[in-house]
Amino acid sequence: VSVDPARPDYCGPTGRAMTEGRPQVCDDIEHDERMAPWRGRALAHGMRSNAAVRLRDAEGGDGTLAIYSGEKGFFTPDVVQLVEQLAADLERGLAVLAARGQIERQSAALRASEERWQFALEGADEGVWDWDIGSGRVYYSPRLETMLGYAPGEFRTDVSGWEQRLH
């Protein structure tokens, strides 16, 4: 299948659906000249009609959903509408998969960054105190507690624990 109109394998429903962006139907593979490049194989497998709908993924890639039937004239307007709905569902599924992949990549990058930060702190033999003002949570690194003479875990994880020790 080609998306180049100058090539003979462009003329079928799949290539046209891709380039024209609208559903394409072949009601009778045996007698439709657009199907000439694929007729022999399609008929050998018992296929008599087909429909094709363009797919687009979240990153702008294109594809085509092509469905075949062993029945001539199978792809009525109602069936084509169902195929379009299926294509839309597939596009949403592809978008979810792409988003999940992006989240996984970002999570892995964040974990790697946190590991590097932790190694740098350990290597520098420094302690860290961090206060999330929005939630009121405080983080103390084990090294900070040790530097100040406390046992790991002795500090509370709210700001009042820090305030009590500040002066």
Side-chain angles (χ1 to χ4, degrees):
V1 175
S2 175
V3 293
D4 179 357
R7 291 182 41 169
D9 52 354
Y10 161 77
C11 61
T14 301
R16 287 184 181 274
M18 174 72 85
T19 57
E20 295 176 16
R22 57 187 173 85
Q24 299 290 315
V25 174
C26 172
D27 287 322
D28 183 0
I29 291 174
E30 186 174 10
H31 297 102
D32 190 327
E33 284 309 309
R34 299 176 304 159
M35 294 299 291
W38 310 279
R39 180 177 297 122
R41 281 191 280 174
L43 294 175
H45 290 285
M47 299 298 109
R48 299 294 179 254
S49 63
N50 86 317
V53 178
R54 183 179 188 171
L55 294 174
R56 291 196 141 180
D57 70 14
E59 283 124 21
D62 287 322
T64 307
L65 171 63
I67 300 178
Y68 289 79
S69 172
E71 181 182 323
K72 288 181 185 177
F74 177 80
F75 295 97
T76 64
D78 288 342
V79 173
V80 172
Q81 186 177 14
L82 289 173
V83 172
E84 287 180 289
Q85 289 171 354
L86 175 60
D89 289 343
L90 287 170
E91 287 174 340
R92 282 188 289 280
L94 290 170
V96 167
L97 289 174
R100 284 182 184 166
Q102 183 177 9
I103 289 168
E104 288 173 9
R105 288 187 299 277
Q106 289 172 341
S107 294
L110 180 59
R111 282 190 302 273
S113 176
E114 287 173 350
E115 286 176 8
R116 285 191 304 274
W117 181 73
Q118 189 64 37
F119 289 147
L121 282 177
E122 289 173 11
D125 200 28
E126 294 290 331
V128 173
W129 172 81
D130 183 49
W131 177 20
D132 180 343
I133 295 173
S135 69
R137 300 201 113 195
V138 174
Y139 167 77
Y140 305 95
S141 70
R143 178 65 186 127
L144 179 65
E145 291 175 308
T146 304
M147 288 171 64
L148 298 176
Y150 294 95
E154 191 173 343
F155 280 3
R156 294 193 339 226
T157 58
D158 61 14
V159 78
S160 66
W162 175 253
E163 290 170 344
Q164 290 172 359
R165 291 171 175 82
L166 186 59
H167 298 289

